[in-house]
Amino acid sequence: MPMRKSSVFLATTALSIILSACVFKKLATDSYDIEFDQAEIERVQDWLEEEADVSPSAERPNVIVIIADDLGKYDISLYGGEMLQTPNIDSIGLMGATCMEGYVTSPICSPSRAGLLTGRYQQRFGFGAQKHEFYQKNRMQYLGFKWFIEKYPWNLIDRDSVPTKEAAEKQGILPNEITIAELLKKSGYSTACIGKWHVGDSEGQKPLDQGFDRFYGFYASHSLFAPEKSEGVVDQKIKKDLTDKYIWRGQRDGIHAIYDQDVEIEENEYLTYRIAEESIKFIKEHNEEPFFLYASFNAPHTPLQAPEKYVSQLGHIEDPVKRVYNGMIWALDDAVGDMMTALREEGLLENTIIFFISDNGGANYTFTTDNAPLKGGKITGFEGGLNVPFLVRWDGMIEPGTIYDQPVISLDIAATAAQLAGVDDHPDYQLDGTNLVPHLMGADIGPAHEALYWKFGWNKIIRKGDWKLMLDVDHGYTNLYNVSKDKFEKDNLAETHPGIVRELTMNLHDWEAELPEELWPPIMKYMYEDEDGTMYYFAD
């Protein structure tokens, strides 16, 4: 009998040890460590400090990039959105060019902004996945999330290893990459980043390290628009959205805090207003010299907070979530209007090229918008995630009311700005975009791009001419759409056009062969169910 008890005890103990080892298995490893190449950083810095050989034909206009956060194409009235009128945003396209086929390089914030700011496909420097603040440290955390937190449309990816905290802190644009700000600064421009950054917050990666003279804003993916329960501001929680609790938890702490230059400050005013005010201040202070302003609004990204004066006028919108969301867009539109007024008063509209864009499509999973009639939304590779509002205004150069219906991409902003400023890009960091001005002025020079490419996790996408191919190498789907005839991606033509699938697949493979490995992995699998019940999976 004692022997039997002893055997049971030993077996139970052994099983407990094995289970504990599995449950508490450490997942964070140094396999994702990011090393900054100091020699390369110094080489690039030396080049940036050399006197620029500015082209004598350079027009050197001021350059303003106004970027919204998670704003869907049909959230504004210019593209046919019916929920809210956005006259100030619309005016940029009405007084300049409306790009009907404007794309971003990623359907999610951080990689998309990295591509825009460098003018290079962000995959060229390993920035394929969203920058993340948190990874599960061990198997127990992973199982806890799976059992108690995870729910549709989110699914945690089961990984044997994840980045360490130190590696995660280095995620972002590598310090040796060259931003638009650094290129234009080389040409004598004053530069400012006002608002959301979200492309690196360690030493060497912040705005003041990446060519910006002025920074006001926050480093993270989100921040509060105003301290919670502020007078005159409506706070709206989204109970059905898994991400909403995390968003509110960030408050104004750490990288979610508001910074003036690199100093944390207390800010009580509504942030959309403050971003516009700081942008206008910069414009007025630099009205007699060329400047580059990156006005990076965080509206209408969650958390949902809108001035009560807007929400009270939107009673026709029954859903309180949608009501506050559209109140945030209204505030954004007014902020853009204030910036346009300042440019007019300073007499700068004829010497300033203005871009308006969103970093990706609307976030369906927050129940704020659905991007209809486009399919999908933020995080997906469908048009609702990648095809965004894209407006360009330059008075006296671009004819008011211009409609451009060929594909363009956020990479073109850096290429356009550099060419207008008369500065060449670094021979080892060549830009992937195209100068859009000749195209928008009607020059008969063909489309701006032969093809556009995307890659995030297992998702690979190409748009070439009328055709868009979507490959999922992990889950085995191949989707082919003629987006000139089927913009809403209803008819998958992969089976009936195998030759086009082969051609575009080869194009994708050739492009991908130029890319390094991603520096960090996605951690979430986002599920999107099509109208016919097909489930698609996208890496986040």
Side-chain angles (χ1 to χ4, degrees):
M1 189 72 176
M3 286 288 293
R4 192 172 186 183
K5 285 184 178 179
S6 177
S7 298
V8 171
F9 174 77
L10 289 173
T12 303
T13 301
L15 182 60
S16 298
I17 292 171
I18 293 170
L19 287 173
S20 295
C22 292
V23 168
F24 292 102
K25 177 186 175 184
K26 184 178 178 181
L27 296 179
T29 71
D30 60 7
S31 59
Y32 296 103
D33 283 358
I34 298 173
E35 296 295 331
F36 296 161
D37 188 335
Q38 293 301 325
E40 181 63 8
I41 293 170
E42 291 174 11
R43 186 175 78 90
V44 168
Q45 193 59 41
D46 288 343
W47 179 82
L48 288 170
E49 291 175 359
E50 292 174 3
E51 186 175 351
D53 184 16
V54 178
S55 168
S57 62
E59 288 152 299
R60 300 184 79 214
N62 306 312
V63 179
I64 296 179
V65 177
I66 303 173
I67 181 170
D69 200 354
D70 292 2
L71 182 74
K73 187 175 181 179
Y74 291 91
D75 283 333
I76 66 172
S77 48
L78 183 62
Y79 287 96
E82 298 178 349
M83 190 72 76
L84 181 75
Q85 292 299 303
T86 51
N88 296 304
I89 294 172
D90 294 356
S91 72
I92 299 174
L94 293 173
M95 296 302 295
T98 301
C99 298
M100 301 304 296
E101 298 297 308
Y103 288 93
V104 284
T105 59
S106 172
I108 193 165
C109 311
S110 190
S112 173
R113 290 165 182 264
L116 187 156
L117 281 164
T118 61
R120 285 157 47 83
Y121 282 110
Q122 65 276 3
Q123 293 88 353
R124 294 198 187 281
F125 44 97
F127 202 147
Q130 172 81 332
K131 173 178 163 56
H132 288 290
E133 295 176 37
F134 171 81
Y135 292 89
Q136 62 272 22
K137 296 177 182 177
N138 54 47
R139 188 62 60 186
M140 183 177 184
Q141 280 190 347
Y142 169 79
L143 293 173
F145 189 95
K146 290 284 289 184
W147 292 341
F148 301 113
I149 301 176
E150 177 180 278
K151 60 181 178 180
Y152 180 83
W154 302 100
N155 190 256
L156 194 63
I157 298 172
D158 188 4
R159 295 197 172 279
D160 292 329
S161 64
V162 297
T164 61
K165 180 182 177 183
E166 293 72 24
E169 289 174 349
K170 287 187 173 182
Q171 292 177 2
I173 296 175
L174 297 179
N176 56 283
E177 287 293 322
I178 299 170
T179 66
I180 314 175
E182 288 174 304
L183 275 179
L184 296 190
K185 195 173 176 66
K186 186 176 173 70
S187 185
Y189 280 60
S190 296
T191 58
C193 171
I194 310 295
K196 172 174 172 173
W197 182 238
H198 199 206
V199 288
D201 44 77
S202 67
E203 185 176 352
Q205 294 178 299
K206 296 179 181 179
L208 299 181
D209 304 318
Q210 296 278 357
F212 288 99
D213 303 313
R214 173 84 180 108
F215 173 62
Y216 168 90
F218 59 95
Y219 299 121
S221 62
H222 59 276
S223 182
L224 294 183
F225 288 82
E228 201 167 348
K229 299 181 180 178
S230 291
E231 184 178 354
V233 176
V234 179
D235 299 337
Q236 178 64 53
K237 306 291 178 70
I238 313 173
K239 294 181 180 179
K240 295 185 291 182
D241 173 23
L242 176 65
T243 68
D244 198 54
K245 288 183 180 179
Y246 161 72
I247 294 287
W248 283 95
R249 195 183 306 133
Q251 291 287 308
R252 287 275 181 83
D253 298 326
I255 57 177
H256 303 275
I258 307 302
Y259 291 82
D260 191 322
Q261 297 299 78
D262 199 23
V263 178
E264 183 177 341
I265 63 170
E266 183 177 346
E267 179 60 80
N268 294 314
E269 257 193 87
Y270 189 68
L271 195 55
T272 300
Y273 296 159
R274 289 293 295 122
I275 291 172
E277 289 166 1
E278 289 293 332
S279 295
I280 291 167
K281 180 181 176 183
F282 177 80
I283 289 168
K284 290 183 175 181
E285 288 176 348
H286 298 276
N287 62 0
E288 295 184 358
E289 59 187 357
F291 65 78
F292 168 55
L293 170 61
Y294 178 60
S296 181
F297 289 92
N298 55 323
H301 193 295
T302 51
L304 296 186
Q305 294 179 286
E308 196 276 335
K309 68 177 184 179
Y310 297 118
V311 178
S312 64
Q313 297 182 67
L314 294 171
H316 61 284
I317 303 176
E318 294 183 7
D319 184 341
V321 167
K322 288 182 168 60
R323 189 159 58 242
V324 175
Y325 176 77
N326 280 277
M328 295 167 72
I329 297 173
W330 192 343
L332 171 65
D333 188 67
D334 276 355
V336 170
D338 289 343
M339 291 175 63
M340 295 300 106
T341 298
L343 288 167
R344 186 179 306 109
E345 290 175 349
E346 296 295 318
L348 296 175
L349 281 173
E350 289 193 356
N351 192 38
T352 303
I353 185 168
I354 305 159
F355 297 88
F356 180 91
I357 193 171
S358 178
D359 60 354
N360 45 251
N364 317 48
Y365 58 84
T366 62
F367 302 94
T368 54
T369 187
D370 60 9
N371 299 292
L374 297 181
K375 187 181 203 173
K378 180 178 179 179
I379 307 176
T380 80
F382 293 113
E383 294 293 278
L386 296 170
N387 193 199
V388 297
F390 195 126
L391 312 174
V392 189
R393 176 176 179 177
W394 188 5
D395 288 17
M397 298 295 288
I398 298 174
E399 189 72 23
T402 295
I403 302 294
Y404 189 71
D405 59 8
Q406 294 297 316
V408 299
I409 194 165
S410 53
L411 301 168
D412 299 330
I413 293 173
T416 303
Q419 185 133 356
L420 294 177
V423 60
D424 292 328
D425 47 344
H426 192 290
D428 297 329
Y429 295 84
Q430 294 182 349
L431 302 179
D432 286 315
T434 298
N435 177 11
L436 290 181
V437 172
H439 297 274
L440 301 181
M441 291 177 65
D444 186 15
I445 51 177
H449 298 275
E450 180 183 358
L452 301 176
Y453 302 90
W454 294 268
K455 179 179 183 293
F456 44 106
W458 51 83
N459 308 113
K460 303 177 184 182
I461 304 169
I462 179 174
R463 173 161 181 186
K464 187 175 183 181
D466 295 337
W467 295 99
K468 178 181 175 184
L469 176 69
M470 301 174 64
L471 301 178
D472 181 334
V473 296
D474 278 11
H475 305 91
Y477 73 70
T478 300
N479 285 42
L480 178 70
Y481 301 104
N482 185 326
V483 285
S484 66
K485 297 178 180 178
D486 179 24
K487 185 64 178 173
F488 311 139
E489 298 169 297
K490 294 184 179 296
D491 298 319
N492 182 4
L493 304 177
E495 291 187 2
T496 57
H497 293 74
I500 294 174
V501 171
R502 282 194 299 271
E503 177 191 340
L504 298 185
T505 300
M506 289 178 62
N507 292 155
L508 263 173
H509 288 168
D510 290 344
W511 174 74
E512 190 179 2
E514 304 173 2
L515 307 177
E517 292 292 321
E518 292 185 354
L519 290 178
W520 59 90
I523 61 171
M524 300 296 292
K525 181 183 292 187
Y526 179 76
M527 298 172 280
Y528 174 80
E529 186 173 2
D530 202 354
E531 293 177 353
D532 63 4
T534 304
M535 190 69 75
Y536 295 97
Y537 304 92
F538 297 95
D540 173 16

